Amino acid sequence: MAPVMRPSQPNISKAAVPASRPFIGVPNRTDDSRDRQDGTMSFARSFGPRDSLDLITGTVREDLRPVIGMAERVGKEVEDFAEMLDKWNEQRQKRENRAVALGLLDDCRDVANKAVANLKKRYGTERSRREQEIWSVRARNLQNDQPDTKEDLEEIDRKFPRTAKVKDLEYWQEEADTWELLQIVLKGDAFRYYLRGDRRKLTHDPENSLSDPQNPWQDFLAQNPLAKERHLITKWLESTAEHTGNDLSILAERLEERAGRNAGTWSHGFLDTRERIKGAKRLRPFNASNKDADTSIVSDPMTGERIVSALDPDAKFREGLPLEGSDEFFERSLWLTCWEMLRRGRPLSQVREWCAERHENWRSISIGAATATEQQSLSPREIFAHALWRRMCIKASNNTKASDYERAVYGLLGGNSFPTQVVCRNWDDLLYADLKELLAGEFDYFLRKHYSTNFPEAVHHLAVEESMRFSDAADPITAHLAVTRQVFHGKPFGKDVQTPMKAIQDGFISHQPMALVSRFSAALSKWKIADSQLYESISSSQEHSMRVFALDPQALRVMVHVVLILQDLDPDHLFDSVDNIQAADNVLATYIELLKEARKLELIPLYASRLQYVRPENIIARILPTIGATRDRVNFIKLLQTYRIDVLGVLTAQYEMLLSQGKMAVNERSKLVLDILEPAEPTHWPGQRIKSAFYRNELEDAESAIIHSLEWFLLVDGYWVETFKILTKAMKIFLRQGRIAAAVALCEKLPTRTISELKTASMFGTSVDVWAEESPEELAELFSSNHSSTSKLRYFSPVTQRKLFTALRSQSKSYRDLEALANALRALQDWRGFEDTILELNKSTTGPQKSDEEEFKVGYDEVFACIQPLLKDGWLVDAANTDEAEEHRMVRNTYIPSMILGYNSMLGFAAQLFGRDVFLHSLELANTIGLNVHDIKATTRGSSLAAAFVETGSMESLVTSMAWISSMILHANDNAWTLRRKKAKKRGPNGETLSIWDPNATMCAADES
């Protein structure tokens, strides 16, 4: 007997892991083996060519066209973020998940900042030139006392178009700023208190250890987490203003150019107006009184219009007259610069010095009076002065005669956002002004409540109190939400807030991150099922912003990692409903689809492992068909094991998905009528012969996809029972639907022997064909005396081994039986080809040659060998339950009668080639079927065969076929045209003989007797 023990497992399960890129989690390893100590692995390389075609139809799926377009814009950043996530993913079970979430957040910010730094080195100058032009346009509009318009921006875009790299720089800067904001919000106490519904601690936390009564401002921030968060957000907005690229030095240069002055004259106040006033004084009469001098008429020589007659700060408002044109521009420029400095968070002392340097001492004093009473350094004894100064600023900001920027500066200083709206150019400016107003009002209320001795009651009776927008009784939380709604969803900057990053910032500043996730998830769902025309009909700016969000792969990447951070940050409060969990999973699933189309398949298991409501197996099942190479498949399975994803569940889900897509759901009551026979001349056949090509040889796309999905099961160690169970199920579906080509192909690709050798190699350390010719007893005896050093079988006794092999055979028997059926069908179809060849040769003048005998004999032996398993005891009768028994009965009844009749036809034809002895097999076939025809329920040899003929009403056809065989035996000598005539044997294996059919032989026997 040939040994069945083999030294090693076939290469299909030992594909080397590619070394094309470092593995996340093991970045410093350079050896070819990238596996982790536990046998799992981290990221492999990208897998194969892009395949965005539908697995069944071969056409591009319409619902994936937007994803495919997005995938083309995916860059290396997805790998960088996945690397960070992988690093922190390993820490989730080792430390508090909140720390993991914040660590991932820090790394996300660092990656974005690194990208900004790299892009600035190469494209910062190009961006700066564009910003200089923007300042030039703004200076021109300021000189003409005109607002910036949309046409101005279009003009700049024509002169200095934003290149792709500049856009990248601007995007990464905005993303870096967004991660910075998330750090402020998520690391603070206010967000945590808000989620947990602890409204009292949100605005009043007196137990905070940072409280300092000697520093009212620090005391205020320590006791009010929400106010502290707002303060940090204003600081963040000041830093983002610096990131815009608008350098204040460039602003000064452009303003000087527009004013027509050099740096020296620019710093000497209202020169032109001063000269006009001096000139007017020289021309007045010598005896004019001072009263007349005050009302003297001073005109602008360029326009002829009257201008002020004095240069004190109140002259413009007192006389209601302007300065000379150039000085008016100078005045507006000063206030613009002050606004920009305050907007960027410059200390008030620096703004004061800047004004003093330009000989604007009165302006320096009015602004710099706050220097001694700045919030950060305010002492209890300075509270009264601070309160009065704040109200003075509010009063000044309400002066409708002042310029826009003057009112905005005082509004910003005093906490009055209404005058600032005119000069706010974007979302950030408006939010900054509103948050400053909220902080100023709450701090004012805090001082009155906790430092009442330093806050005189008289302050409450000032007229300016009525113009303060947020009253003492206003709920701070309600006011906070009102501000964010007004800023984000108001009309002034609708397009500005429709960018993805602004939408994220909105969600976190308003403490509504899950509402953001839900809106984004809804947009993704609409986007997947609708075309672009649907969005054109959506008028809501919020919906439009979500549409833009959903179509941006970078925004999707950011949003996915935001979701992952939130999952670990506070899952009990953030994901406390099924809707929130489903929304988060929808975002993750869309990102996984994006990674698939971008051929970043090695990253998918990492993100799929974080799905909560949706089974990751169902998501990954859609990915597997795109991985073709065995080596890539092995690597992907290792990744699934690394992230603790149910590999068997993934493979099963893939199979079921493809089965559904191929519309192969079996109707339990459907009945297939197998048609493999056709009428034939009784000269060479027993009334019937096998049809030519009774099944197609080409596989449908759906059938091929299913077979490829089943090949994955061979790459997973173990799962003996599960593998054979699903293979058996697939075979039954193919056979019951008449998909014979698919059944044959499945058996050719996944024969029982190969499966056994691969699975046992991982189970026992050595390859074993449990269906070898040896019985389980013989296999146990063989392995007991011939163990390799790696074989685990040496630890089992011969009795245990025998039981083990017997169990393995029992568990794989149904698939083995169906494999025999498929092989027999293939052999019968091949034989029909031999018959056609023989008939053609027989028509020739020379007839079949002796050299053809071996070829035909091989075909005959193949059919004979393939049919024998179907004639043995217990073929396809073992079943685990009644349902499986019924399935087996249906398969037997569908195939056995026609196949047996076809086999009998083959024997009748073959007997004419290889001699009358072939008829003995036909006689034995009749004996086998008829042996238990009266007891078809018994599990003995022939009973299942007889039952198939009886239940299908085919017994008459069998009897007719056997009668034709009898006739052929009688006329064998007359019709024989054999390649080589052979002498008939005396007796068959059961004592059969053909002598009784020979009249001469019968007569001779009678004479002898």
Side-chain angles (χ1 to χ4, degrees):
M1 299 181 186
V4 295
M5 182 173 63
R6 292 165 179 80
S8 63
Q9 189 173 346
N11 291 335
I12 189 172
S13 63
K14 291 192 174 183
V17 177
S20 59
R21 62 179 294 271
F23 276 43
I24 296 177
V26 216
N28 296 323
R29 297 180 60 178
T30 56
D31 58 316
D32 290 336
S33 177
R34 307 269 182 187
D35 294 357
R36 292 176 175 169
Q37 294 180 354
D38 61 355
T40 60
M41 62 177 289
S42 184
F43 294 120
R45 60 181 174 84
S46 295
F47 296 82
R50 169 176 294 190
D51 181 10
S52 58
L53 299 182
D54 188 276
L55 300 172
I56 302 303
T57 65
T59 58
V60 178
R61 293 177 53 183
E62 291 298 327
D63 62 328
L64 294 183
R65 287 185 185 274
V67 182
I68 297 171
M70 289 172 61
E72 295 173 353
R73 293 177 282 158
V74 171
K76 185 180 179 298
E77 62 277 355
V78 298
E79 297 182 13
D80 296 334
F81 274 76
E83 182 175 353
M84 293 184 307
L85 178 61
D86 187 55
K87 179 186 71 174
W88 288 105
N89 207 51
E90 296 176 356
Q91 302 295 323
R92 296 184 75 208
Q93 306 302 325
K94 302 177 183 178
R95 55 194 297 184
E96 182 185 357
N97 283 356
R98 177 178 172 82
V100 171
L102 297 179
L104 176 60
L105 177 58
D106 291 342
D107 283 353
C108 290
R109 177 207 58 190
D110 293 342
V111 169
N113 283 333
K114 182 179 179 181
V116 171
N118 292 335
L119 289 169
K120 272 187 176 180
K121 290 179 182 178
R122 290 178 290 177
Y123 308 105
T125 303
E126 181 180 347
R127 184 190 185 194
S128 179
R129 287 197 301 266
R130 176 181 168 83
E131 296 300 334
Q132 290 177 23
E133 183 64 21
I134 292 177
W135 277 123
S136 298
V137 172
R138 291 193 65 192
R140 181 191 66 192
N141 292 339
L142 187 68
Q143 185 179 29
N144 298 330
D145 197 15
Q146 295 176 348
D148 299 335
T149 63
K150 178 182 178 181
E151 289 71 20
D152 295 331
L153 294 178
E154 293 175 352
E155 178 185 348
I156 295 172
D157 288 336
R158 287 194 298 270
K159 291 183 178 179
F160 297 93
R162 294 162 62 218
T163 63
K165 294 301 181 181
V166 170
K167 290 180 181 179
D168 287 344
L169 173 57
E170 293 174 351
Y171 168 79
W172 278 107
Q173 184 64 73
E174 190 176 22
E175 180 177 330
D177 292 339
T178 301
W179 291 120
E180 190 74 34
L181 173 65
L182 264 60
Q183 283 187 311
I184 293 172
V185 175
L186 299 183
K187 290 183 178 182
D189 294 331
F191 184 74
R192 186 167 69 253
Y193 292 152
Y194 184 87
L195 291 181
R196 298 177 181 180
D198 196 340
R199 299 174 69 89
R200 185 185 64 83
K201 283 190 175 182
L202 188 62
T203 56
H204 183 66
D205 189 9
E207 299 178 0
N208 196 301
S209 59
L210 297 177
S211 181
D212 182 7
Q214 296 304 313
N215 188 324
W217 176 251
Q218 294 300 329
D219 192 21
F220 166 64
L221 296 182
Q223 293 191 39
N224 192 329
L226 183 58
K228 181 179 179 181
E229 179 185 279
R230 291 172 183 161
H231 171 65
L232 294 176
I233 291 175
T234 59
K235 293 299 180 184
W236 169 77
L237 288 167
E238 291 170 356
S239 66
T240 60
E242 292 285 6
H243 297 158
T244 60
N246 299 335
D247 192 340
L248 288 178
S249 61
I250 298 177
L251 170 62
E253 292 177 2
R254 295 297 177 267
L255 293 176
E256 289 172 5
E257 292 174 0
R258 276 287 163 184
R261 301 181 180 183
N262 55 35
T265 57
W266 178 255
S267 303
H268 286 79
F270 306 136
L271 295 180
D272 294 336
T273 303
R274 183 183 299 116
E275 290 301 320
R276 297 292 172 263
I277 293 174
K278 288 181 178 180
K281 287 182 178 180
R282 295 190 192 101
L283 297 176
R284 77 180 181 207
F286 179 75
N287 60 351
S289 64
N290 292 333
K291 183 179 179 180
D292 295 333
D294 292 338
T295 59
S296 60
I297 298 176
V298 182
S299 302
D300 186 338
M302 299 294 296
T303 63
E305 297 179 355
R306 292 183 59 186
I307 60 175
V308 296
S309 60
L311 290 178
D312 60 278
D314 295 327
K316 289 179 58 177
F317 309 132
R318 183 178 63 252
E319 298 180 16
L321 297 174
L323 301 171
E324 191 166 333
S326 59
D327 290 333
E328 277 290 341
F329 173 54
F330 176 68
E331 169 84 353
R332 290 193 296 270
S333 300
L334 288 174
W335 287 118
L336 167 62
T337 307
C338 290
W339 163 264
E340 293 292 344
M341 293 178 71
L342 292 174
R343 177 63 185 83
R344 285 162 173 73
R346 298 291 196 272
L348 292 177
S349 58
Q350 182 177 341
V351 180
R352 176 185 178 183
E353 291 174 2
W354 187 87
C355 292
E357 289 174 357
R358 282 147 183 81
H359 302 285
E360 294 294 317
N361 294 321
W362 72 269
R363 209 181 311 261
S364 173
I365 293 173
S366 67
I367 295 176
T371 303
T373 57
E374 281 193 83
Q375 294 170 335
Q376 290 82 348
S377 59
L378 185 68
S379 65
R381 68 174 183 272
E382 296 171 331
I383 290 177
F384 182 44
H386 173 81
L388 292 177
W389 174 80
R390 182 194 172 213
R391 283 154 179 78
M392 181 275 293
C393 290
I394 294 177
K395 181 69 175 178
S397 69
N398 291 331
N399 182 8
T400 57
K401 296 181 179 180
S403 66
D404 292 339
Y405 280 104
E406 180 179 355
R407 295 182 64 197
V409 167
Y410 285 117
L412 204 58
L413 293 173
N416 182 16
S417 64
F418 182 75
T420 66
Q421 295 179 5
V422 179
V423 301
C424 288
R425 296 185 298 115
N426 52 42
W427 170 90
D428 299 63
D429 293 346
L430 190 60
L431 178 63
Y432 181 75
D434 281 346
L435 291 182
K436 292 287 279 187
E437 178 178 23
L438 276 179
L439 280 172
E442 289 183 18
F443 185 50
D444 202 284
Y445 178 73
F446 176 82
L447 293 176
R448 278 186 281 180
K449 181 177 180 180
H450 296 279
Y451 296 85
S452 57
T453 56
N454 303 98
F455 203 106
E457 187 67 22
V459 175
H460 299 309
H461 303 294
L462 296 176
V464 72
E465 290 285 309
E466 298 178 359
S467 65
M468 298 174 68
R469 296 177 62 199
F470 296 99
S471 65
D472 301 342
D475 180 5
I477 300 175
T478 304
H480 181 85
L481 293 176
V483 165
T484 55
R485 281 196 297 267
Q486 174 183 335
V487 172
F488 286 99
H489 308 304
K491 295 182 179 179
F493 304 108
K495 292 185 178 180
D496 187 39
V497 300
Q498 288 173 6
T499 64
M501 292 302 107
K502 287 295 182 284
I504 296 176
Q505 293 167 14
D506 170 25
F508 281 90
I509 292 177
S510 61
H511 296 161
Q512 302 289 333
M514 294 315 299
L516 167 69
V517 175
S518 297
R519 292 197 307 270
F520 184 51
S521 174
L524 289 174
S525 299
K526 290 181 181 179
W527 161 65
K528 288 178 181 179
I529 63 175
D531 56 22
S532 59
Q533 293 180 352
L534 172 65
Y535 287 106
E536 297 299 330
S537 64
I538 298 177
S539 57
S540 169
S541 61
Q542 191 175 26
E543 289 285 351
H544 179 73
S545 65
M546 286 298 106
R547 173 208 173 189
V548 175
F549 203 159
L551 295 175
D552 187 341
Q554 303 292 6
L556 177 58
R557 169 182 51 80
V558 173
M559 196 63 200
V560 162
H561 292 87
V562 167
V563 167
L564 297 177
I565 290 170
L566 293 177
Q567 281 183 349
D568 286 337
L569 188 71
D570 196 346
D572 294 337
H573 295 90
L574 287 167
F575 297 91
D576 56 350
S577 69
V578 174
D579 290 341
N580 286 349
I581 295 174
Q582 287 179 326
D585 278 4
N586 189 32
V587 175
L588 278 169
T590 305
Y591 189 65
I592 290 172
E593 191 68 47
L594 177 65
L595 293 176
K596 171 193 169 186
E597 294 302 326
R599 303 308 300 170
K600 305 291 184 182
L601 303 185
E602 73 276 15
L603 311 183
I604 289 176
L606 171 62
Y607 291 93
S609 67
R610 301 296 294 271
L611 292 167
Q612 296 181 340
Y613 187 83
V614 179
R615 290 181 60 217
E617 294 82 4
N618 295 334
I619 299 297
I620 298 179
R622 299 179 58 188
I623 310 301
L624 298 188
T626 65
I627 307 175
T630 300
R631 176 173 176 166
D632 293 339
R633 290 183 173 187
V634 171
N635 291 339
F636 198 80
I637 288 175
K638 289 184 178 181
L639 286 173
L640 296 179
Q641 295 168 340
T642 297
Y643 299 109
R644 299 178 179 86
I645 296 176
D646 181 9
V647 177
L648 181 63
V650 171
L651 302 186
T652 303
Q654 177 194 205
Y655 162 75
E656 293 175 349
M657 174 194 71
L658 295 174
L659 201 67
S660 176
Q661 290 180 356
K663 299 179 180 180
M664 296 188 193
V666 177
N667 183 354
E668 295 298 331
R669 297 186 179 181
S670 62
K671 185 177 180 180
L672 172 69
V673 178
L674 187 66
D675 185 20
I676 67 172
L677 301 175
E678 63 183 7
E681 302 175 12
T683 307
H684 302 305
W685 298 276
Q688 291 178 310
R689 68 179 298 196
I690 302 169
K691 274 187 177 182
S692 177
F694 61 83
Y695 72 84
R696 54 181 168 77
N697 292 319
E698 299 78 14
L699 294 179
E700 297 178 0
D701 292 338
E703 296 170 344
S704 297
I706 291 174
I707 294 174
H708 289 319
S709 74
L710 295 172
E711 291 176 345
W712 282 83
F713 285 86
L714 270 67
L715 306 178
V716 186
D717 294 340
Y719 298 118
W720 175 277
V721 174
E722 294 81 0
T723 299
F724 278 106
K725 184 177 180 180
I726 200 165
L727 288 173
T728 301
K729 180 180 178 181
M731 280 291 293
K732 291 176 184 177
I733 290 175
F734 286 154
L735 291 172
R736 290 177 61 184
Q737 294 188 7
R739 300 177 181 272
I740 300 175
V744 171
L746 176 58
C747 294
E748 290 177 348
K749 287 183 176 293
L750 302 176
T752 305
R753 174 176 178 176
T754 300
I755 300 171
S756 176
E757 291 174 348
L758 288 174
K759 294 295 182 182
T760 54
S762 62
M763 295 161 60
F764 307 137
T766 185
S767 296
V768 181
D769 179 9
V770 299
W771 286 99
E773 295 180 3
E774 296 86 350
S775 64
E777 292 78 7
E778 293 172 325
L779 284 174
E781 181 180 353
L782 173 64
F783 279 96
S784 297
S785 59
N786 186 17
H787 281 306
S788 66
S789 59
T790 60
S791 175
K792 300 176 185 177
L793 290 173
R794 66 180 184 274
Y795 300 114
F796 300 100
S797 66
V799 175
T800 304
Q801 290 185 31
R802 183 173 65 255
K803 292 180 179 179
L804 181 61
F805 291 140
T806 301
L808 294 177
R809 280 193 173 190
S810 175
Q811 293 161 357
S812 57
K813 185 177 183 303
S814 293
Y815 182 71
R816 169 87 171 178
D817 290 345
L818 293 173
E819 179 185 4
L821 178 65
N823 289 336
L825 287 167
R826 173 187 51 77
L828 288 174
Q829 175 152 289
D830 291 345
W831 174 256
R832 169 56 193 257
F834 283 116
E835 288 186 356
D836 293 341
T837 302
I838 294 169
L839 292 175
E840 289 295 326
L841 292 174
N842 190 57
K843 293 178 181 179
S844 64
T845 55
T846 58
Q849 301 299 311
K850 184 177 181 180
S851 59
D852 299 323
E853 179 183 4
E854 292 185 2
E855 181 181 356
F856 299 146
K857 188 65 168 61
V858 169
Y860 166 77
D861 291 341
E862 176 73 9
V863 176
F864 183 82
C866 290
I867 287 290
Q868 297 313 303
L870 278 62
L871 306 178
K872 291 183 178 179
D873 294 344
W875 178 84
L876 204 61
V877 295
D878 296 341
N881 49 56
T882 56
D883 291 339
E884 186 176 14
E886 178 62 17
E887 291 176 354
H888 290 176
R889 187 187 68 82
M890 293 180 66
V891 172
R892 291 196 304 270
N893 290 351
T894 300
Y895 286 90
I896 288 301
S898 296
M899 293 179 65
I900 293 300
L901 293 174
Y903 172 60
N904 196 46
S905 170
M906 184 275 296
L907 292 175
F909 187 89
Q912 301 169 78
L913 292 173
F914 309 119
R916 292 189 304 163
D917 290 342
V918 176
F919 285 127
L920 293 176
H921 298 304
S922 181
L923 298 177
E924 182 182 4
L925 176 64
N927 183 60
T928 300
I929 297 175
L931 187 63
N932 300 100
V933 72
H934 299 296
D935 187 16
I936 60 177
K937 294 184 179 180
T939 55
T940 56
R941 185 182 184 189
S943 63
S944 61
L945 296 177
F949 279 95
V950 171
E951 292 179 10
T952 59
S954 303
M955 189 60 74
E956 182 179 352
S957 299
L958 177 63
V959 172
T960 302
S961 180
M962 290 302 177
W964 279 114
I965 289 293
S966 301
S967 176
M968 293 176 70
I969 295 174
L970 286 172
H971 300 87
N973 293 333
D974 299 334
N975 300 325
W977 36 270
T978 61
L979 288 173
R980 186 178 60 189
R981 194 176 303 278
K982 296 183 178 180
K983 188 176 181 180
K985 295 180 180 179
K986 296 298 182 182
R987 296 287 177 179
N990 294 321
E992 306 94 331
T993 179
L994 296 177
S995 299
I996 60 172
W997 300 101
D998 189 341
N1000 296 325
T1002 303
M1003 294 176 61
C1004 293
D1007 293 341
E1008 292 175 359
S1009 61

Short mmCIF file of all heavy atoms in Angstrom, two decimals, residues 523-542:
data_model
loop_
_atom_site.label_atom_id
_atom_site.label_comp_id
_atom_site.label_asym_id
_atom_site.label_seq_id
_atom_site.Cartn_x
_atom_site.Cartn_y
_atom_site.Cartn_z
N ALA A 523 -26.59 61.41 5.45
CA ALA A 523 -26.11 61.91 4.15
C ALA A 523 -25.44 60.79 3.37
O ALA A 523 -25.62 60.67 2.16
CB ALA A 523 -25.15 63.07 4.36
N LEU A 524 -24.67 59.95 4.04
CA LEU A 524 -24.03 58.83 3.37
C LEU A 524 -25.07 57.87 2.81
O LEU A 524 -24.92 57.34 1.71
CB LEU A 524 -23.11 58.09 4.34
CG LEU A 524 -21.83 58.82 4.76
CD1 LEU A 524 -21.10 58.03 5.83
CD2 LEU A 524 -20.92 59.06 3.57
N SER A 525 -26.11 57.63 3.58
CA SER A 525 -27.15 56.71 3.13
C SER A 525 -27.86 57.25 1.90
O SER A 525 -28.11 56.52 0.94
CB SER A 525 -28.17 56.48 4.25
OG SER A 525 -27.54 55.89 5.38
N LYS A 526 -28.16 58.55 1.89
CA LYS A 526 -28.80 59.15 0.72
C LYS A 526 -27.87 59.10 -0.48
O LYS A 526 -28.28 58.83 -1.60
CB LYS A 526 -29.19 60.60 1.03
CG LYS A 526 -30.33 60.74 2.01
CD LYS A 526 -30.64 62.21 2.22
CE LYS A 526 -31.77 62.40 3.22
NZ LYS A 526 -32.07 63.83 3.45
N TRP A 527 -26.62 59.37 -0.21
CA TRP A 527 -25.63 59.43 -1.29
C TRP A 527 -25.44 58.07 -1.93
O TRP A 527 -25.22 57.95 -3.13
CB TRP A 527 -24.35 59.96 -0.69
CG TRP A 527 -23.12 59.69 -1.49
CD1 TRP A 527 -22.81 60.17 -2.72
CD2 TRP A 527 -22.02 58.87 -1.10
NE1 TRP A 527 -21.58 59.72 -3.11
CE2 TRP A 527 -21.08 58.93 -2.14
CE3 TRP A 527 -21.73 58.12 0.02
CZ2 TRP A 527 -19.89 58.24 -2.08
CZ3 TRP A 527 -20.53 57.45 0.09
CH2 TRP A 527 -19.64 57.52 -0.96
N LYS A 528 -25.57 57.01 -1.15
CA LYS A 528 -25.37 55.67 -1.69
C LYS A 528 -26.51 55.23 -2.60
O LYS A 528 -26.31 54.44 -3.51
CB LYS A 528 -25.22 54.66 -0.55
CG LYS A 528 -23.92 54.76 0.21
CD LYS A 528 -23.89 53.75 1.33
CE LYS A 528 -22.60 53.84 2.11
NZ LYS A 528 -22.57 52.88 3.22
N ILE A 529 -27.71 55.75 -2.31
CA ILE A 529 -28.87 55.25 -3.05
C ILE A 529 -29.42 56.24 -4.05
O ILE A 529 -30.37 55.94 -4.76
CB ILE A 529 -29.98 54.86 -2.06
CG1 ILE A 529 -30.46 56.10 -1.30
CG2 ILE A 529 -29.53 53.79 -1.10
CD1 ILE A 529 -31.65 55.83 -0.39
N ALA A 530 -28.84 57.45 -4.09
CA ALA A 530 -29.41 58.47 -4.98
C ALA A 530 -28.33 59.05 -5.87
O ALA A 530 -27.16 58.97 -5.60
CB ALA A 530 -30.04 59.57 -4.14
N ASP A 531 -28.79 59.65 -6.95
CA ASP A 531 -27.84 60.32 -7.81
C ASP A 531 -27.73 61.78 -7.41
O ASP A 531 -28.40 62.26 -6.50
CB ASP A 531 -28.25 60.19 -9.29
CG ASP A 531 -29.67 60.72 -9.53
OD1 ASP A 531 -30.16 61.53 -8.72
OD2 ASP A 531 -30.25 60.32 -10.53
N SER A 532 -26.91 62.51 -8.13
CA SER A 532 -26.64 63.89 -7.75
C SER A 532 -27.87 64.78 -7.88
O SER A 532 -27.97 65.80 -7.22
CB SER A 532 -25.50 64.45 -8.61
OG SER A 532 -25.86 64.38 -9.98
N GLN A 533 -28.83 64.41 -8.73
CA GLN A 533 -30.00 65.25 -8.92
C GLN A 533 -30.83 65.35 -7.65
O GLN A 533 -31.50 66.35 -7.41
CB GLN A 533 -30.85 64.70 -10.06
CG GLN A 533 -30.18 64.80 -11.42
CD GLN A 533 -31.04 64.26 -12.51
OE1 GLN A 533 -32.09 63.67 -12.27
NE2 GLN A 533 -30.60 64.45 -13.74
N LEU A 534 -30.78 64.31 -6.82
CA LEU A 534 -31.54 64.37 -5.58
C LEU A 534 -31.04 65.52 -4.72
O LEU A 534 -31.82 66.25 -4.12
CB LEU A 534 -31.40 63.05 -4.82
CG LEU A 534 -31.97 63.02 -3.40
CD1 LEU A 534 -33.49 63.19 -3.44
CD2 LEU A 534 -31.62 61.75 -2.69
N TYR A 535 -29.73 65.68 -4.67
CA TYR A 535 -29.17 66.72 -3.82
C TYR A 535 -29.46 68.12 -4.35
O TYR A 535 -29.51 69.07 -3.59
CB TYR A 535 -27.66 66.52 -3.67
CG TYR A 535 -27.33 65.35 -2.78
CD1 TYR A 535 -26.86 64.17 -3.32
CD2 TYR A 535 -27.51 65.43 -1.41
CE1 TYR A 535 -26.57 63.09 -2.52
CE2 TYR A 535 -27.21 64.35 -0.59
CZ TYR A 535 -26.73 63.19 -1.14
OH TYR A 535 -26.45 62.11 -0.35
N GLU A 536 -29.62 68.21 -5.65
CA GLU A 536 -29.91 69.53 -6.20
C GLU A 536 -31.26 70.06 -5.69
O GLU A 536 -31.49 71.26 -5.63
CB GLU A 536 -29.93 69.47 -7.73
CG GLU A 536 -28.59 69.09 -8.34
CD GLU A 536 -27.49 70.09 -8.00
OE1 GLU A 536 -27.81 71.27 -7.82
OE2 GLU A 536 -26.33 69.68 -7.89
N SER A 537 -32.13 69.15 -5.32
CA SER A 537 -33.45 69.56 -4.84
C SER A 537 -33.48 69.85 -3.35
O SER A 537 -34.50 70.25 -2.82
CB SER A 537 -34.48 68.47 -5.16
OG SER A 537 -34.16 67.28 -4.45
N ILE A 538 -32.37 69.62 -2.67
CA ILE A 538 -32.32 69.86 -1.23
C ILE A 538 -31.91 71.30 -0.99
O ILE A 538 -30.82 71.73 -1.38
CB ILE A 538 -31.32 68.90 -0.56
CG1 ILE A 538 -31.80 67.46 -0.75
CG2 ILE A 538 -31.19 69.22 0.91
CD1 ILE A 538 -30.85 66.43 -0.20
N SER A 539 -32.76 72.06 -0.34
CA SER A 539 -32.49 73.48 -0.15
C SER A 539 -31.84 73.77 1.19
O SER A 539 -31.23 74.82 1.37
CB SER A 539 -33.81 74.28 -0.24
OG SER A 539 -34.74 73.79 0.72
N SER A 540 -31.97 72.88 2.16
CA SER A 540 -31.42 73.14 3.48
C SER A 540 -29.90 73.24 3.41
O SER A 540 -29.22 72.38 2.85
CB SER A 540 -31.79 72.01 4.44
OG SER A 540 -31.08 72.11 5.65
N SER A 541 -29.37 74.32 4.00
CA SER A 541 -27.91 74.49 3.99
C SER A 541 -27.23 73.40 4.79
O SER A 541 -26.12 72.96 4.47
CB SER A 541 -27.55 75.86 4.57
OG SER A 541 -28.00 75.96 5.92
N GLN A 542 -27.91 72.92 5.84
CA GLN A 542 -27.33 71.86 6.64
C GLN A 542 -27.23 70.58 5.83
O GLN A 542 -26.21 69.88 5.86
CB GLN A 542 -28.19 71.64 7.88
CG GLN A 542 -27.54 70.74 8.92
CD GLN A 542 -28.38 70.66 10.18
OE1 GLN A 542 -29.58 70.85 10.14
NE2 GLN A 542 -27.73 70.39 11.29
#
